[in-house]
PDB file of all heavy atoms in Angstrom:
ATOM      1  N   LYS A 378       2.003  19.001  -2.849  1.00 89.00           N
ATOM      2  CA  LYS A 378       2.763  18.102  -2.019  1.00 89.00           C
ATOM      3  C   LYS A 378       3.393  18.881  -0.965  1.00 89.00           C
ATOM      4  O   LYS A 378       3.402  18.497   0.240  1.00 89.00           O
ATOM      5  CB  LYS A 378       3.903  17.430  -2.826  1.00 89.00           C
ATOM      6  CG  LYS A 378       3.396  16.278  -3.709  1.00 89.00           C
ATOM      7  CD  LYS A 378       4.602  15.630  -4.486  1.00 89.00           C
ATOM      8  CE  LYS A 378       4.166  14.633  -5.444  1.00 89.00           C
ATOM      9  NZ  LYS A 378       5.243  14.062  -6.174  1.00 89.00           N
ATOM     10  N   TYR A 379       3.924  20.085  -1.252  1.00 91.00           N
ATOM     11  CA  TYR A 379       4.624  20.893  -0.274  1.00 91.00           C
ATOM     12  C   TYR A 379       3.589  21.427   0.797  1.00 91.00           C
ATOM     13  O   TYR A 379       3.901  21.402   1.986  1.00 91.00           O
ATOM     14  CB  TYR A 379       5.370  22.088  -0.853  1.00 91.00           C
ATOM     15  CG  TYR A 379       6.482  21.641  -1.805  1.00 91.00           C
ATOM     16  CD1 TYR A 379       6.719  22.319  -2.975  1.00 91.00           C
ATOM     17  CD2 TYR A 379       7.303  20.600  -1.482  1.00 91.00           C
ATOM     18  CE1 TYR A 379       7.759  22.010  -3.891  1.00 91.00           C
ATOM     19  CE2 TYR A 379       8.334  20.247  -2.305  1.00 91.00           C
ATOM     20  CZ  TYR A 379       8.604  20.974  -3.448  1.00 91.00           C
ATOM     21  OH  TYR A 379       9.514  20.505  -4.319  1.00 91.00           O
ATOM     22  N   PHE A 380       2.386  21.754   0.307  1.00 90.00           N
ATOM     23  CA  PHE A 380       1.461  22.336   1.244  1.00 90.00           C
ATOM     24  C   PHE A 380       1.037  21.149   2.229  1.00 90.00           C
ATOM     25  O   PHE A 380       0.766  21.349   3.356  1.00 90.00           O
ATOM     26  CB  PHE A 380       0.192  22.876   0.549  1.00 90.00           C
ATOM     27  CG  PHE A 380      -0.842  23.284   1.557  1.00 90.00           C
ATOM     28  CD1 PHE A 380      -0.809  24.430   2.229  1.00 90.00           C
ATOM     29  CD2 PHE A 380      -1.977  22.488   1.626  1.00 90.00           C
ATOM     30  CE1 PHE A 380      -1.788  24.822   3.141  1.00 90.00           C
ATOM     31  CE2 PHE A 380      -3.015  22.834   2.536  1.00 90.00           C
ATOM     32  CZ  PHE A 380      -2.861  24.021   3.290  1.00 90.00           C
ATOM     33  N   LEU A 381       0.833  19.954   1.661  1.00 89.00           N
ATOM     34  CA  LEU A 381       0.311  18.826   2.457  1.00 89.00           C
ATOM     35  C   LEU A 381       1.409  18.414   3.459  1.00 89.00           C
ATOM     36  O   LEU A 381       1.070  18.052   4.593  1.00 89.00           O
ATOM     37  CB  LEU A 381       0.003  17.634   1.556  1.00 89.00           C
ATOM     38  CG  LEU A 381      -1.200  17.829   0.632  1.00 89.00           C
ATOM     39  CD1 LEU A 381      -1.406  16.574  -0.281  1.00 89.00           C
ATOM     40  CD2 LEU A 381      -2.473  18.056   1.456  1.00 89.00           C
ATOM     41  N   LEU A 382       2.656  18.498   3.090  1.00 89.00           N
ATOM     42  CA  LEU A 382       3.712  18.217   4.044  1.00 89.00           C
ATOM     43  C   LEU A 382       3.736  19.222   5.117  1.00 89.00           C
ATOM     44  O   LEU A 382       3.888  18.900   6.238  1.00 89.00           O
ATOM     45  CB  LEU A 382       5.112  18.137   3.267  1.00 89.00           C
ATOM     46  CG  LEU A 382       6.300  17.812   4.049  1.00 89.00           C
ATOM     47  CD1 LEU A 382       6.211  16.373   4.611  1.00 89.00           C
ATOM     48  CD2 LEU A 382       7.641  17.986   3.304  1.00 89.00           C
ATOM     49  N   PHE A 383       3.591  20.517   4.762  1.00 93.00           N
ATOM     50  CA  PHE A 383       3.471  21.564   5.771  1.00 93.00           C
ATOM     51  C   PHE A 383       2.281  21.272   6.740  1.00 93.00           C
ATOM     52  O   PHE A 383       2.424  21.363   7.983  1.00 93.00           O
ATOM     53  CB  PHE A 383       3.338  22.931   5.095  1.00 93.00           C
ATOM     54  CG  PHE A 383       2.888  23.977   6.062  1.00 93.00           C
ATOM     55  CD1 PHE A 383       3.799  24.561   6.869  1.00 93.00           C
ATOM     56  CD2 PHE A 383       1.520  24.475   5.973  1.00 93.00           C
ATOM     57  CE1 PHE A 383       3.477  25.610   7.702  1.00 93.00           C
ATOM     58  CE2 PHE A 383       1.200  25.469   6.918  1.00 93.00           C
ATOM     59  CZ  PHE A 383       2.174  26.048   7.733  1.00 93.00           C
ATOM     60  N   TRP A 384       1.224  20.790   6.218  1.00 91.00           N
ATOM     61  CA  TRP A 384      -0.033  20.631   7.034  1.00 91.00           C
ATOM     62  C   TRP A 384       0.210  19.454   7.995  1.00 91.00           C
ATOM     63  O   TRP A 384      -0.198  19.473   9.150  1.00 91.00           O
ATOM     64  CB  TRP A 384      -1.233  20.323   6.039  1.00 91.00           C
ATOM     65  CG  TRP A 384      -2.501  20.039   6.816  1.00 91.00           C
ATOM     66  CD1 TRP A 384      -3.145  18.796   6.894  1.00 91.00           C
ATOM     67  CD2 TRP A 384      -3.248  20.970   7.484  1.00 91.00           C
ATOM     68  NE1 TRP A 384      -4.384  18.930   7.620  1.00 91.00           N
ATOM     69  CE2 TRP A 384      -4.402  20.254   8.011  1.00 91.00           C
ATOM     70  CE3 TRP A 384      -3.175  22.350   7.726  1.00 91.00           C
ATOM     71  CZ2 TRP A 384      -5.446  20.874   8.751  1.00 91.00           C
ATOM     72  CZ3 TRP A 384      -4.243  22.957   8.498  1.00 91.00           C
ATOM     73  CH2 TRP A 384      -5.332  22.286   8.969  1.00 91.00           C
ATOM     74  N   ILE A 385       0.883  18.436   7.480  1.00 90.00           N
ATOM     75  CA  ILE A 385       1.104  17.279   8.323  1.00 90.00           C
ATOM     76  C   ILE A 385       2.019  17.578   9.463  1.00 90.00           C
ATOM     77  O   ILE A 385       1.780  17.275  10.687  1.00 90.00           O
ATOM     78  CB  ILE A 385       1.762  16.091   7.477  1.00 90.00           C
ATOM     79  CG1 ILE A 385       0.663  15.525   6.573  1.00 90.00           C
ATOM     80  CG2 ILE A 385       2.327  15.039   8.322  1.00 90.00           C
ATOM     81  CD1 ILE A 385       1.226  14.577   5.484  1.00 90.00           C
ATOM     82  N   ILE A 386       3.084  18.345   9.173  1.00 93.00           N
ATOM     83  CA  ILE A 386       4.043  18.819  10.222  1.00 93.00           C
ATOM     84  C   ILE A 386       3.374  19.685  11.146  1.00 93.00           C
ATOM     85  O   ILE A 386       3.564  19.554  12.346  1.00 93.00           O
ATOM     86  CB  ILE A 386       5.281  19.417   9.533  1.00 93.00           C
ATOM     87  CG1 ILE A 386       6.147  18.457   8.794  1.00 93.00           C
ATOM     88  CG2 ILE A 386       6.167  20.234  10.646  1.00 93.00           C
ATOM     89  CD1 ILE A 386       7.182  19.039   7.961  1.00 93.00           C
ATOM     90  N   LEU A 387       2.525  20.546  10.732  1.00 93.00           N
ATOM     91  CA  LEU A 387       1.808  21.455  11.634  1.00 93.00           C
ATOM     92  C   LEU A 387       0.888  20.697  12.651  1.00 93.00           C
ATOM     93  O   LEU A 387       0.950  20.944  13.842  1.00 93.00           O
ATOM     94  CB  LEU A 387       1.072  22.507  10.770  1.00 93.00           C
ATOM     95  CG  LEU A 387       0.378  23.695  11.596  1.00 93.00           C
ATOM     96  CD1 LEU A 387       1.379  24.589  12.201  1.00 93.00           C
ATOM     97  CD2 LEU A 387      -0.531  24.446  10.709  1.00 93.00           C
ATOM     98  N   MET A 388       0.109  19.725  12.110  1.00 92.00           N
ATOM     99  CA  MET A 388      -0.738  19.092  13.027  1.00 92.00           C
ATOM    100  C   MET A 388       0.014  18.172  13.969  1.00 92.00           C
ATOM    101  O   MET A 388      -0.349  18.095  15.171  1.00 92.00           O
ATOM    102  CB  MET A 388      -1.639  18.211  12.191  1.00 92.00           C
ATOM    103  CG  MET A 388      -2.789  18.895  11.387  1.00 92.00           C
ATOM    104  SD  MET A 388      -3.960  19.837  12.409  1.00 92.00           S
ATOM    105  CE  MET A 388      -3.447  21.505  12.073  1.00 92.00           C
ATOM    106  N   LEU A 389       1.070  17.639  13.541  1.00 92.00           N
ATOM    107  CA  LEU A 389       1.884  16.753  14.449  1.00 92.00           C
ATOM    108  C   LEU A 389       2.502  17.678  15.535  1.00 92.00           C
ATOM    109  O   LEU A 389       2.603  17.294  16.700  1.00 92.00           O
ATOM    110  CB  LEU A 389       2.944  15.988  13.675  1.00 92.00           C
ATOM    111  CG  LEU A 389       2.555  14.856  12.795  1.00 92.00           C
ATOM    112  CD1 LEU A 389       3.642  14.276  12.018  1.00 92.00           C
ATOM    113  CD2 LEU A 389       1.779  13.755  13.655  1.00 92.00           C
ATOM    114  N   LEU A 390       2.993  18.871  15.201  1.00 94.00           N
ATOM    115  CA  LEU A 390       3.622  19.741  16.114  1.00 94.00           C
ATOM    116  C   LEU A 390       2.540  20.218  17.126  1.00 94.00           C
ATOM    117  O   LEU A 390       2.814  20.277  18.392  1.00 94.00           O
ATOM    118  CB  LEU A 390       4.120  21.094  15.415  1.00 94.00           C
ATOM    119  CG  LEU A 390       5.555  20.853  14.821  1.00 94.00           C
ATOM    120  CD1 LEU A 390       5.997  22.233  14.131  1.00 94.00           C
ATOM    121  CD2 LEU A 390       6.553  20.495  15.886  1.00 94.00           C
ATOM    122  N   PHE A 391       1.280  20.583  16.736  1.00 92.00           N
ATOM    123  CA  PHE A 391       0.308  20.870  17.617  1.00 92.00           C
ATOM    124  C   PHE A 391       0.020  19.694  18.683  1.00 92.00           C
ATOM    125  O   PHE A 391      -0.064  19.957  19.867  1.00 92.00           O
ATOM    126  CB  PHE A 391      -1.073  21.131  16.935  1.00 92.00           C
ATOM    127  CG  PHE A 391      -1.170  22.420  16.325  1.00 92.00           C
ATOM    128  CD1 PHE A 391      -2.066  22.662  15.251  1.00 92.00           C
ATOM    129  CD2 PHE A 391      -0.385  23.506  16.621  1.00 92.00           C
ATOM    130  CE1 PHE A 391      -2.144  23.885  14.659  1.00 92.00           C
ATOM    131  CE2 PHE A 391      -0.426  24.823  16.053  1.00 92.00           C
ATOM    132  CZ  PHE A 391      -1.272  24.897  15.023  1.00 92.00           C
ATOM    133  N   SER A 392       0.048  18.513  18.183  1.00 92.00           N
ATOM    134  CA  SER A 392      -0.119  17.355  19.192  1.00 92.00           C
ATOM    135  C   SER A 392       1.057  17.275  20.070  1.00 92.00           C
ATOM    136  O   SER A 392       0.878  16.900  21.355  1.00 92.00           O
ATOM    137  CB  SER A 392      -0.328  16.090  18.313  1.00 92.00           C
ATOM    138  OG  SER A 392      -1.542  16.047  17.780  1.00 92.00           O
ATOM    139  N   ILE A 393       2.245  17.274  19.599  1.00 93.00           N
ATOM    140  CA  ILE A 393       3.441  17.231  20.442  1.00 93.00           C
ATOM    141  C   ILE A 393       3.502  18.303  21.475  1.00 93.00           C
ATOM    142  O   ILE A 393       3.786  18.044  22.641  1.00 93.00           O
ATOM    143  CB  ILE A 393       4.784  17.236  19.531  1.00 93.00           C
ATOM    144  CG1 ILE A 393       4.784  15.976  18.679  1.00 93.00           C
ATOM    145  CG2 ILE A 393       6.032  17.359  20.363  1.00 93.00           C
ATOM    146  CD1 ILE A 393       5.839  15.956  17.616  1.00 93.00           C
TER     147      ILE A 393
END
Side-chain angles (χ1 to χ4, degrees):
K378 287 180 185 178
Y379 296 140
F380 176 76
L381 294 177
L382 184 62
F383 168 76
W384 180 252
I385 290 168
I386 291 170
L387 187 67
M388 289 296 112
L389 289 175
L390 279 176
F391 284 158
S392 286
I393 291 169

